[in-house]
Amino acid sequence: MKRFLALLLSLVLMLCAAVPAYATGDGNFDGGGGGMGSGTSTNYWNPGMDGVRISVVNVDSHAVVGNTVDWSNQNPSTNMIHFGKVSKLSYNSGRALSPVVGGYVCVRPAQSLPRIISTGDYPASIAAIRSYFTDEQVIRAIAGYVGIDFDTLIAGDYKIVVEPIAYFVYGGAYYAMTATEAALYDQKVNGDLRSKMGSLTHKNLPLAIFLEEADLGYPAWSGSTNSKVSNDQIISSLGIGVVRFNGELEPPDVNDFDYEYRVDTDVISSVEVSGGQSDPDNPVTVRFVIQGRTYTVSNVYYPDGDSQLVWVKWHTPSEPCVITIAVSVSGGGTAQSTITCNIVDLDGNDPPNPVADDRNDRFRLASIPEKEQVTSASWGIWSPWWQENWEWVEDWEKCWHTDRWVDDNNVVHRDRWYHWVDNGWWEDHGWWEFDYNSYAASLSASMRITPDSLSPSATATTMKSGYGIQEKVTARVTTTQSAAVTAAQNAVTYFPEFGYEGFWRLLNRSVSGKSTTFAFKNNPYSTYDRPTHFTPIWYPDGSYTPYTWLLDCWTPTGMLSMNLTDSVTIRGNLWEEWHIAPAKQR
């Protein structure tokens, strides 16, 4: 075997010397896998060292179109043994395995991959994988790397093929292999790869992704999802997922989402766990898989017939997207299996630059809106404690005795008799009782609008139209469980001149613990780059009332938010500050 590897490596060296997003498409993915065997110093794989090979194929001919690329969250060594960027469909069409040493290149995507290959301690989520590869932003990125127009890609004539990749050490050398390449290579080494790395190459790697429905000439996998498979099974059926496009899909309705979050925000997602009783003798564990990272909540307790809210705090991406959180429960309880989150960006709708000759003769003051307002929340955690109940367990046993005596005739007599003895013991036949520990949070806030200090004739509450205003919002969250609550993190201000719609300003935030201060961002139309909003010069005399929605204070039971308003009084306009006179005669 060592001689064969040496020859193969020599051949390799000679060869080298010679040469917002919404979900898009339908993900045909399923997966399995499980525990890993133990490795050696020359044959091992580290969890998380995985990725995918992505190719685009023509629906009718099954021919690969454009570039084939590898994606990974890792930075695998470029000086490894690999087989080029070859799609499974190309191998099944007769392409031979062609090893190369060095020069390996993979892409680290801007939107991190979910975990691809499962292990016993780090399960992958096929729901997260399916959600990732049907995300519009991900598909746009794929189109760019493959070299095909996005609209052409999703028009229905093409499909995306996704294959799992593992980076591992075998025989002391570092390899990159898809499941199909591992099966083909194992045939070359007469089963040695399977014998040394089979838990990876012939179980968790090929079972990481397979088809839920038959597609592209490959069958849906109906075999075991947690045991080793053969080379033939891998080559014919496993290690492949497909994204299909049946024309342009309509964006999902907002009601399809469990949560709507803002970008770059600390948030909380929760599920209700129930079923049976969970106590320290039979505890429940809940795992949330979010963008490839697993969050584990252990020791979830609740009495029989009740439930427990379980939550995870995480930070949203910096770009809009749709994220599906996979939820798994072990230990006897049940909960919803997925949480769908719509991540949106509120920035980018700033009002246009006002000019001196603006007019709006048809202006009518609109009603101040009232968005969702929730200023308090409560939740609780079950705490088990043991109610002792000591009971005596009887264990009766005969205790035998023998009496001996000699009578007057010197005859020896023996008499055997017994009495009962209880050799029992005390046992605690107690049970688990539960206390419910209640927690709460409340949100308070204030908003203040003031004329810009550069407005020459303004007072504290009165100004002329055409000048700017500044805003300050202060918010504070009080809670009895700080770790389960976020500060208020976003505030959006709407203005009466736009009917409180169409344009708004996302305020800058400054967070300190559970307190937050908000203010306008610096206005690019301000001569002095000040954090101001200019009132329109045509605005009529009277009250000028901006409206602010304060939001993204998250608790286990949902979001706290508030409606805020404040006013200044408009009297006159900035033209009244100007005087035009003829030049003096000399």
Side-chain angles (χ1 to χ4, degrees):
M1 176 60 200
K2 291 181 178 178
R3 186 184 310 168
F4 177 88
L5 287 174
L7 289 172
L8 179 62
L9 289 173
S10 297
L11 173 61
V12 170
L13 290 171
M14 287 189 292
L15 288 172
C16 289
V19 295
Y22 296 104
T24 301
D26 173 25
N28 186 1
F29 294 84
D30 208 339
M36 296 290 294
S38 58
T40 68
S41 61
T42 56
N43 299 286
Y44 62 88
W45 174 75
N46 293 322
M49 291 301 295
D50 57 28
V52 291
R53 179 158 299 163
I54 302 170
S55 53
V56 172
V57 300
N58 182 276
V59 170
D60 297 325
S61 67
H62 295 184
V64 177
V65 178
N67 304 315
T68 298
V69 295
D70 290 357
W71 281 12
S72 176
N73 295 334
Q74 308 299 326
N75 292 309
S77 171
T78 59
N79 189 29
M80 67 167 68
I81 301 171
H82 59 101
F83 304 95
K85 304 293 193 300
V86 182
S87 171
K88 182 180 183 76
L89 277 74
S90 298
Y91 285 124
N92 289 135
S93 298
R95 178 77 173 264
L97 203 62
S98 180
V100 180
V101 173
Y104 178 75
V105 177
C106 73
V107 173
R108 190 170 187 177
Q111 189 168 327
S112 298
L113 287 164
R115 180 176 292 275
I116 301 298
I117 301 176
S118 288
T119 68
D121 295 330
Y122 301 97
S125 165
I126 198 63
I129 294 172
R130 185 185 298 112
S131 174
Y132 181 88
F133 285 104
T134 56
D135 182 274
E136 180 181 331
Q137 296 305 314
V138 171
I139 293 175
R140 286 185 180 276
I142 290 173
Y145 282 108
V146 170
I148 185 170
D149 178 72
F150 171 75
D151 292 329
T152 302
L153 174 59
I154 68 171
D157 294 328
Y158 300 96
K159 297 181 179 181
I160 298 174
V161 172
V162 180
E163 303 174 60
I165 295 175
Y167 304 104
F168 60 94
V169 173
Y170 163 62
Y174 198 13
Y175 286 84
M177 292 189 195
T178 64
T180 302
E181 288 169 341
L184 293 171
Y185 188 73
D186 189 57
Q187 292 176 340
K188 297 290 186 184
V189 297
N190 299 317
D192 188 72
L193 180 64
R194 177 187 171 97
S195 69
K196 291 184 171 63
M197 299 292 296
S199 293
L200 171 67
T201 59
H202 288 71
K203 185 178 69 172
N204 287 16
L205 174 60
L207 292 171
I209 300 175
F210 53 80
L211 295 180
E212 190 175 30
E213 301 173 2
D215 206 342
L216 294 175
Y218 296 94
W221 178 247
S222 59
S224 171
T225 61
N226 57 12
S227 58
K228 292 180 183 178
V229 291
S230 68
N231 290 326
D232 289 341
Q233 288 173 317
I234 296 171
I235 294 168
S236 67
S237 309
L238 295 170
I240 179 173
V242 175
V243 180
R244 305 173 291 199
F245 305 99
N246 299 312
E248 186 174 352
L249 302 180
E250 291 295 324
D253 187 87
V254 69
N255 294 325
D256 293 338
F257 300 117
D258 296 296
Y259 289 95
E260 181 169 278
Y261 298 130
R262 267 50 60 186
V263 297
D264 192 26
T265 304
D266 288 331
V267 297
I268 292 174
S269 303
S270 61
V271 294
E272 194 85 23
V273 181
S274 61
Q277 175 169 298
S278 177
D279 53 49
D281 293 329
N282 300 284
V284 162
T285 297
V286 181
R287 292 181 176 85
F288 301 83
V289 180
I290 307 174
Q291 291 193 296
R293 179 179 175 184
T294 300
Y295 301 77
T296 301
V297 183
S298 302
N299 301 323
V300 177
Y301 303 129
Y302 52 87
D304 188 22
D306 219 306
S307 62
Q308 175 62 60
L309 195 67
V310 182
W311 60 89
V312 59
K313 183 186 289 186
W314 57 287
H315 195 80
T316 61
S318 58
E319 298 292 336
C321 60
V322 175
I323 292 177
T324 299
I325 301 174
V327 183
S328 60
V329 181
S330 59
T334 59
Q336 71 182 87
S337 59
T338 59
I339 302 171
T340 306
C341 311
N342 189 29
I343 315 299
V344 300
D345 191 349
L346 294 178
D347 209 358
N349 279 76
D350 291 355
N353 182 29
V355 294
D357 57 355
D358 277 349
R359 295 178 64 90
N360 188 355
D361 297 335
R362 297 183 178 180
F363 173 73
R364 295 292 183 272
L365 191 63
S367 298
I368 297 174
E370 290 188 10
K371 294 181 180 290
E372 178 185 10
Q373 176 166 296
V374 180
T375 59
S376 63
S378 60
W379 62 96
I381 297 176
W382 288 106
S383 178
W385 56 275
W386 184 253
Q387 174 61 64
E388 295 181 349
N389 181 30
W390 291 95
E391 295 181 359
W392 180 260
V393 179
E394 296 178 345
D395 184 19
W396 291 99
E397 181 183 6
K398 290 180 179 179
C399 182
W400 289 94
H401 301 270
T402 301
D403 294 336
R404 180 181 179 277
W405 75 92
V406 180
D407 62 16
D408 294 341
N409 297 321
N410 205 32
V411 176
V412 177
H413 296 271
R414 289 181 176 82
D415 185 16
R416 185 168 174 79
W417 59 278
Y418 67 88
H419 71 277
W420 289 96
V421 175
D422 185 359
N423 294 321
W425 58 89
W426 287 100
E427 281 188 358
D428 184 2
H429 291 176
W431 56 87
W432 289 105
E433 293 281 358
F434 294 82
D435 290 332
Y436 190 75
N437 301 312
S438 297
Y439 300 94
S442 61
L443 174 65
S444 59
S446 64
M447 170 183 174
R448 187 182 180 199
I449 296 293
T450 56
D452 191 308
S453 60
L454 295 184
S455 176
S457 59
T459 67
T461 59
T462 303
M463 59 181 286
K464 298 184 184 300
S465 65
Y467 288 112
I469 59 169
Q470 294 185 339
E471 177 178 355
K472 182 178 181 180
V473 173
T474 57
R476 178 175 175 79
V477 184
T478 56
T479 178
T480 52
Q481 191 182 23
S482 180
V485 177
T486 73
Q489 298 163 86
N490 282 302
V492 188
T493 300
Y494 302 81
F495 303 95
E497 63 265 36
F498 304 110
Y500 300 107
E501 61 183 16
F503 298 101
W504 58 81
R505 293 189 185 277
L506 178 65
L507 276 57
N508 266 340
R509 70 188 177 209
S510 177
V511 180
S512 177
K514 293 296 185 288
S515 297
T516 316
T517 302
F518 298 90
F520 289 142
K521 299 177 182 179
N522 289 343
N523 192 326
Y525 302 122
S526 168
T527 303
Y528 301 100
D529 196 31
R530 292 175 65 79
T532 189
H533 171 79
F534 292 109
T535 59
I537 196 168
W538 52 261
Y539 199 86
D541 285 359
S543 179
Y544 180 84
T545 307
Y547 156 76
T548 296
W549 190 37
L550 176 69
L551 70 161
D552 284 326
C553 170
W554 287 97
T555 77
T557 56
M559 184 181 76
L560 303 185
S561 58
M562 287 187 71
N563 295 301
L564 301 169
T565 60
D566 194 28
S567 303
V568 292
T569 299
I570 299 292
R571 288 182 183 167
N573 62 65
L574 64 78
W575 288 125
E576 297 173 7
E577 305 281 343
W578 295 78
H579 175 68
I580 301 175
K584 293 182 179 179
Q585 299 293 327
R586 292 185 179 181

